[in-house]
Amino acid sequence: YFNNNNYWNLSEKYSTDLKTISGKFFLNLKERLEDDHYDVFDNNGLPIRFVDGKRAYNYTTICSYALAKWQLYIETGSYNYTEHLFKTIDFLFNNNELTEYQGLVFPYNGKLSAMNQGEALSVLARGYELTGNKEYIDFAEKIIKSYKVLVEEYGVRGQFKKLENVYWFEEIATIPHKHILNGMVYALVGLWEIYQVMPQLTQAKELFDEGVKYVEKVLPLFDTGKWSWYWIDEERPNYIASAMYHNLHICQLNYLYELTNKPIFHQYAEKFETYYGNPINKLKAGFSLLTSKFKMR
C-alpha cells in the first residue's frame, strides 16, 4: 500500500504507431505481458486460469490478452501479433449463449457480466477493422442486446434502488446488485469502440451516451471522502477498492474525460489521485479491505 508504482497506466501514443480507427486499448496492457500476468495457456495459446484446482476459461482474461497483443501490433506493425485477436474471436463465436431475446451472452460460472460483453466488443471491433467481415456486425449487434435487458430477464442492466431512473451495466449480473465502477467503464468502452468501426450500430452509441449519464449521476456515491468504493451494494455495506482498483478508477475516469470532455470525470480523477498520494488514506483503505474480506468469509 505504500508502493507508489501504479499497476495500471493509460496507453502511450507514439509517432510510430499504426494509424487505425480503434487504436490501442485505453489501458497499457503490454505491461501485463511483461509482468507475467498471463502465465498459463491451453494448447491453442489461449490464457487460462486455475479455479479450485480446475482449468477455467475466463472471458476477460482471454480478451485482455488479445488486446495486449494488439497493442504490440500497433507499435510494431507485425501481423504476428494479431493471431491471438482472431483466436479470441473464434473462441467467442464458439463459446456463447443465445438468449430468449436473441442476444448473445458470455456466462462465467453461470453468471453474466457486462465487462465480458464490453471486452468482447472491444476485441470484435479490431477484428472487424482488419477484415471487414460482415458476420462480425450481426455478432456485435447480438452482444449489445444484453445491455438493454434487466438482470432479472437475463441481461446485464441493473437498477439503482435509491436513484430514480438510474441503471448500471453490471459486472456481476446478480440480485441483489453490487454496482461495480470499473466493470461499468469496461462495458462502456466496448460500446464506444464498436461504434467507431461499425457506425451503423447506432444503438451502441445511444447506450454509451446513456451509460455515461448514469456514471455522472452515480460517481459521487463512489467517493468515500478519502478513497473510492469498489462496489456499491444494494443491501449490504459498500466494498472498498484495493489500491490497484483505486488506481484503475483514476485511469478509467481520465479516459472517460478524454472521450466525453465532461468535467466531472476530470474532477473525480484528480480527487482520487489526491487520495492515492496520501499514505494514511492508503493504509486505512487497506485495513478496511482486510476487514471487509474477513466479514465476507
Side-chain angles (χ1 to χ4, degrees):
Y1 266 80
F2 290 103
N3 186 346
N4 286 322
N5 293 326
N6 293 339
Y7 184 82
W8 293 111
N9 293 288
L10 294 175
S11 292
E12 296 182 19
K13 297 177 183 178
Y14 303 109
S15 59
T16 54
D17 285 349
L18 286 179
K19 301 300 183 286
T20 63
I21 297 172
S22 52
K24 296 177 182 176
F25 195 62
F26 74 99
L27 289 174
N28 185 357
L29 294 174
K30 186 175 70 171
E31 293 176 348
R32 301 291 74 81
L33 295 174
E34 295 168 351
D35 64 14
D36 294 327
H37 176 77
Y38 311 98
D39 56 353
V40 182
F41 298 84
D42 71 3
N43 293 332
N44 197 33
L46 294 174
I48 56 177
R49 294 280 185 234
F50 280 93
V51 180
D52 296 329
K54 297 180 181 178
R55 188 172 74 172
Y57 288 97
N58 180 292
Y59 287 101
T60 61
T61 299
I62 292 171
C63 288
S64 64
Y65 184 69
L67 293 168
K69 290 290 188 176
W70 173 267
Q71 181 176 340
L72 293 177
Y73 163 66
I74 292 291
E75 292 181 1
T76 66
S78 173
Y79 278 100
N80 292 334
Y81 291 119
T82 67
E83 177 186 2
H84 284 280
L85 186 81
F86 293 108
K87 283 184 178 181
T88 299
I89 291 173
D90 288 342
F91 179 83
L92 295 172
F93 266 90
N94 294 320
N95 295 272
N96 61 67
E97 183 180 334
L98 183 66
T99 67
E100 291 184 359
Y101 53 84
Q102 297 304 298
L104 288 175
V105 293
F106 305 102
Y108 181 68
N109 287 341
K111 299 175 182 178
L112 300 190
S113 170
M115 184 171 168
N116 288 357
Q117 303 295 110
E119 291 200 0
L121 290 174
S122 291
V123 169
L124 201 61
R126 289 160 175 83
Y128 178 74
E129 184 174 2
L130 285 182
T131 66
N133 189 334
K134 301 298 183 185
E135 291 183 11
Y136 292 3
I137 299 175
D138 180 63
F139 196 60
E141 192 169 19
K142 289 178 178 176
I143 293 171
I144 290 168
K145 287 185 178 182
S146 63
Y147 285 79
K148 303 178 183 179
V149 179
L150 293 173
V151 171
E152 295 90 329
E153 299 167 0
Y154 207 52
V156 297
R157 174 185 287 254
Q159 185 170 11
F160 270 80
K161 287 183 178 179
K162 298 177 182 178
L163 298 173
E164 188 176 356
N165 295 322
V166 173
Y167 295 87
W168 207 250
F169 304 138
E170 306 289 358
E171 179 180 339
I172 304 175
T174 57
I175 298 172
H177 300 318
K178 294 178 174 66
H179 307 296
I180 299 174
L181 179 56
N182 86 86
M184 174 67 162
V185 178
Y186 281 121
L188 290 176
V189 170
L191 292 170
W192 172 265
E193 293 189 328
I194 204 68
Y195 177 69
Q196 301 311 299
V197 300
M198 301 180 188
Q200 62 269 54
L201 297 184
T202 54
Q203 65 269 37
K205 180 61 164 55
E206 291 166 0
L207 284 163
F208 173 81
D209 291 340
E210 178 189 359
V212 166
K213 291 178 181 177
Y214 297 146
V215 178
E216 283 185 276
K217 290 181 179 179
V218 174
L219 194 49
L221 299 183
F222 279 95
D223 182 7
T224 73
K226 295 181 179 179
W227 204 253
S228 61
W229 294 114
Y230 177 73
W231 71 47
I232 294 174
D233 201 306
E234 289 286 0
E235 292 193 358
R236 295 184 177 184
N238 296 339
Y239 193 73
I240 201 75
S242 67
M244 185 267 283
Y245 276 110
H246 184 76
N247 161 222
L248 177 58
H249 292 162
I250 294 167
C251 291
Q252 289 181 320
L253 292 175
N254 277 320
Y255 186 62
L256 282 181
Y257 177 65
E258 182 181 324
L259 292 182
T260 67
N261 204 33
K262 292 184 178 292
I264 189 171
F265 298 134
H266 179 64
Q267 172 191 343
Y268 275 91
E270 284 200 328
K271 185 182 286 191
F272 288 175
E273 184 75 54
T274 300
Y275 298 163
Y276 190 72
N278 186 317
I280 295 176
N281 287 352
K282 276 189 177 182
L283 185 62
K284 287 182 177 179
F287 180 76
S288 178
L289 184 63
L290 288 174
T291 303
S292 297
K293 285 184 176 181
F294 179 78
K295 288 180 178 178
M296 288 174 68
R297 287 173 185 168

